[in-house]
Amino acid sequence: MIGQRRVRLWTFRSKLWPDWRGLGRDMAGRCVSGRALIAALLILLATVSGSTGPSSREIWGASRIPSQFSEEERVAIKEALKGAIQIPTVSFSHEESNTTALAEFGEYMRKVFPTVFHSSLIRHEVVGTYSHLLTVQGSDPSLQPYMLMAHFDVVPAPEEGWDVPPFSGLERDGFIHGRGTLDNKNSVMAILQALELLLIRNYSPRRSFFIALGHDEEVSGIKGAQKISALLQARGVRLAFLVDEGSFIMEDFLPNLKKPFAMISVAEKGALDLMLQVNMTPGHSSAPPKETSIGILSAAVSRLEQTPMPNMFGSGPLKQTLKLLSREFSFPTNILFGNLWLFQPIVSRLMERNHITNALVRTTTALTIFNAGVKVNVIPPLAQATINFRIHPSQTVREVLELVKNIVADDRVQLHVLRSFEPLPVSPSDATAIGYQLLQQTIQSVFPEVNIVVPGICIANTDSRHYANLTNGIYLFNPVFLQPQGFSSIHGINEKISVRNYENQVKFIFELIQNADTYKEPVPHLHEL
Ligand SMILES: CCCCCCCCCCCCCCCCCC(=O)N[C@@H](Cc1ccccc1)C(=O)O
Ligand SMILES: [Zn+2]
Ligand SMILES: [Zn+2]
């Protein structure tokens, strides 16, 4: 029955497919087709007048600065990133970081971007000893400011397994190698680099914006981002939106989808670090009791690992993500993703099959620390295990704790919450959401090969949560192409970015800053009034 229905649906849709695609594009917004028409006219005009084509200055307005960089600038762009990678700004733990390197990084930024740090338009403040806040003054106070964020601390990188030393910043085969090339010195450097290049070209913004560069994101953001946020709140700042790390232009993440798609995360998971502890009477191992602290704790954590948290597919932004992506798939995935009203149960199961997509549909349970015992012939009194839960946007810390208690179901296992925070509220991605729309438009102009932009969920955590008090528009997006191998290199080995990818990241921010000045609020339709 279902099989017959599936075939019928497919036949119906495949007949309509070409029309739907054409129609979809036209209906994506009159302004898009209008802009295409204007672009076509400009090309025609330029051809007649002997020029090679319309520049972005012509399309976006007379005062627009084209994102074209000289050979000399292109060399300086990549050399600046290499230098940043060579400073080992490692966050080891809450208590320990390489503070010498953090301070050196501040000096390095000032040296490499002199125009930024000497501009009369920019106020620079050091916050929490090592983090940086730049306030870029716009000329039009009626425009609400926004914020670009990044962090320059990195996770440790022992040399084993790396093709090149992780703090060498070496260029090889078109890639710059090293810890922080994707997470997240690329963004720190690209933001400052784009601004430096704009200022050199005498740019002055209409819309004010902030640049917040954190020094402790990899261990909490409490000394950096949290302090910057408090400072801005005390100044009464409200942000139109902010952009941080957390998502990419995805390539080869989904089976049967060869084309890249840009995912702007509009939601970020929460987190719960829970320590499980069992205390029993110690004793001689020659006469062990029936149950030991290690055995009881192992059984409890094993139950947690074997009992995944509920699949939350159907709530949150993922349905919209798949609906939008469905057009990019071939049969039968296009039918499944495009008709979730019917195929939701199947799709939610499919998502569980892969560890990355599984993380999108549920709160994940990761056993990360286990401690017990000191000597082979001593029954230890104490066994401890720490579990890192990443909480799905549709759940709360309290709900997860309740589920954990029910799964453990053993009073001898004590639960201690070490740290927890709720998922971020979902940021808007509709036609009126300025941050989302600006990112989408900029992606479309800088990366014409990327057909589709979708809202998504960030499965990791970022500094952006510390700014939730200042805006409801939190967008996580790095304008960089990422494959699954690149994802594994983040916090892993052989982290690297191609020179081309990095140049495009600079170009993207160069364009985004200018687009923020010229963004026009959409006019509401009559029926919405
Ligand atoms: C249908 C769409 C499928 C495509 C899914 C592809 C998903 C790819 C995900 C890529 C995510 C990359 C995330 C990069 C940002 C990493 C930020 C980070 O590492 N943050 C730390 C922060 C932290 C948390 C807890 C303690 C200390 C630090 C983290 O662990 O989350
Ligand atoms: Zn990061
Ligand atoms: Zn990280």
Side-chain angles (χ1 to χ4, degrees):
M1 188 64 185
I2 289 178
Q4 277 176 7
R5 192 165 182 176
R6 225 185 265 171
V7 171
R8 230 179 287 136
L9 255 173
W10 174 72
T11 330
F12 171 69
R13 191 165 172 176
S14 66
K15 275 188 194 152
L16 289 177
W17 185 245
D19 296 340
W20 276 24
R21 295 198 89 173
L23 197 62
R25 283 205 186 119
D26 285 351
M27 292 185 61
R30 289 224 167 94
C31 52
V32 173
S33 34
R35 201 188 300 148
L37 196 67
I38 292 167
L41 282 171
L42 282 166
I43 291 169
L44 199 69
L45 265 173
T47 317
V48 171
S49 64
S51 154
T52 50
S55 66
S56 53
R57 180 192 289 258
E58 287 165 320
I59 290 175
W60 291 91
S63 61
R64 199 167 174 88
I65 304 168
S67 52
Q68 280 151 7
F69 312 134
S70 69
E71 267 317 300
E72 203 183 324
E73 284 171 334
R74 292 178 63 200
V75 171
I77 288 172
K78 65 178 182 177
E79 292 306 318
L81 178 62
K82 291 179 194 174
I85 301 302
Q86 287 163 11
I87 306 172
T89 49
V90 178
S91 282
F92 295 99
S93 68
H94 285 102
E95 298 80 34
E96 197 194 351
S97 55
N98 185 342
T99 51
T100 313
L102 292 176
E104 188 187 337
F105 198 88
E107 292 309 313
Y108 181 72
M109 292 188 317
R110 289 176 177 91
K111 189 181 91 189
V112 178
F113 304 116
T115 322
V116 169
F117 286 91
H118 289 111
S119 168
S120 58
L121 295 173
I122 297 174
R123 173 182 181 189
H124 171 226
E125 293 163 280
V126 176
V127 182
T129 317
Y130 303 106
S131 286
H132 298 266
L133 172 65
L134 286 85
T135 306
V136 187
Q137 196 57 55
S139 58
D140 186 345
S142 74
L143 298 175
Q144 197 178 12
Y146 65 100
M147 183 156 80
L148 302 177
M149 290 176 57
H151 67 90
F152 55 91
D153 64 320
V154 294
V155 293
E159 288 210 358
E160 293 79 51
W162 283 74
D163 292 342
V164 305
F167 295 103
S168 62
L170 270 176
E171 183 179 345
R172 207 181 261 187
D173 303 327
F175 283 83
I176 299 169
H177 292 245
R179 176 61 84 228
T181 46
L182 291 170
D183 180 18
N184 179 239
K185 284 180 177 168
N186 58 318
S187 297
V188 172
M189 297 303 284
I191 292 168
L192 294 174
Q193 183 71 72
L195 184 55
E196 177 81 8
L197 290 166
L198 279 166
L199 292 171
I200 288 172
R201 288 156 171 76
N202 289 324
Y203 169 76
S204 77
R206 280 186 62 211
R207 188 187 290 270
S208 295
F209 62 100
F210 299 93
I211 297 174
L213 307 175
H215 76 275
D216 65 342
E217 189 275 346
E218 293 294 0
V219 284
S220 68
I222 285 173
K223 294 178 191 157
Q226 203 174 80
K227 286 210 160 78
I228 297 176
S229 172
L231 183 68
L232 292 177
Q233 178 149 31
R235 289 178 185 164
V237 171
R238 275 300 293 175
L239 300 169
F241 66 94
L242 67 78
V243 183
D244 193 9
E245 65 168 344
S247 210
F248 293 87
I249 301 173
M250 309 291 182
E251 259 185 325
D252 297 331
F253 273 90
L254 294 169
N256 307 325
L257 183 59
K258 291 285 154 257
K259 289 188 214 155
F261 65 94
M263 195 164 104
I264 303 171
S265 284
V266 293
E268 180 179 305
K269 290 179 108 177
L272 165 64
D273 294 340
L274 194 64
M275 203 250 280
L276 276 59
Q277 180 169 298
V278 179
N279 257 300
M280 299 292 278
T281 315
H284 201 292
S285 66
S286 58
K290 196 161 166 279
E291 286 182 292
T292 59
S293 53
I294 293 182
I296 295 165
L297 184 67
S298 307
V301 294
S302 175
R303 278 198 294 282
L304 283 168
E305 197 171 53
Q306 297 302 316
T307 319
M309 293 286 147
N311 184 327
M312 306 299 288
F313 184 81
S315 51
L318 188 60
K319 264 173 98 170
Q320 177 68 358
T321 313
L322 296 187
K323 202 172 153 197
L324 289 170
L325 278 178
S326 67
R327 286 181 287 147
E328 298 297 307
F329 283 93
S330 52
F331 178 79
T333 317
N334 57 348
I335 301 298
L336 293 178
F337 286 7
N339 295 282
L340 291 173
W341 59 274
L342 179 61
F343 296 118
Q344 178 161 323
I346 301 172
V347 174
S348 85
R349 283 294 166 83
L350 284 176
M351 298 298 284
E352 291 179 330
R353 286 201 184 167
N354 163 292
H355 67 116
I356 296 177
T357 47
N358 179 55
L360 296 171
V361 298
R362 61 161 40 90
T363 296
T364 50
T365 306
L367 317 184
T368 47
I369 305 176
F370 203 103
N371 282 317
V374 286
K375 195 166 184 307
V376 72
N377 59 353
V378 176
I379 303 286
L382 188 67
Q384 293 177 323
T386 303
I387 306 185
N388 177 233
F389 297 91
R390 303 290 177 130
I391 304 174
H392 188 273
S394 306
Q395 276 182 321
T396 63
V397 173
R398 183 194 278 262
E399 283 165 1
V400 173
L401 264 175
E402 248 348 272
L403 286 162
V404 170
K405 278 182 199 155
N406 290 335
I407 296 166
V408 170
D410 186 338
D411 290 340
R412 295 168 300 176
V413 182
Q414 303 158 24
L415 307 182
H416 299 278
V417 175
L418 302 181
R419 181 191 70 143
S420 71
F421 49 87
E422 302 291 350
L424 285 181
V426 179
S427 297
S429 55
D430 59 289
T432 64
I434 166 172
Y436 193 88
Q437 292 304 323
L438 268 173
L439 285 167
Q440 178 162 15
Q441 285 168 18
T442 313
I443 291 165
Q444 283 164 348
S445 71
V446 177
F447 303 104
E449 69 274 38
V450 175
N451 274 350
I452 188 137
V453 179
V454 295
I457 301 174
C458 180
I459 57 175
N461 295 115
T462 68
D463 262 351
S464 67
R465 71 177 180 281
H466 297 298
Y467 297 92
N469 52 332
L470 302 182
T471 181
N472 61 2
I474 295 184
Y475 301 102
L476 308 176
F477 179 67
N478 263 339
V480 168
F481 285 76
L482 186 82
Q483 298 83 21
Q485 201 187 0
F487 175 58
S488 311
S489 77
I490 297 176
H491 294 200
I493 57 170
N494 293 326
E495 189 178 344
K496 60 184 176 183
I497 190 167
S498 71
V499 173
R500 187 183 149 81
N501 240 338
Y502 181 59
E503 264 182 24
N504 277 333
Q505 184 172 9
V506 175
K507 183 177 162 132
F508 180 91
I509 297 162
F510 191 99
E511 294 287 336
L512 181 73
I513 292 173
Q514 295 191 79
N515 291 347
D517 285 342
T518 51
Y519 180 77
K520 300 255 181 321
E521 303 278 335
V523 182
H525 293 301
L526 272 178
H527 63 265
E528 284 171 3
L529 289 173

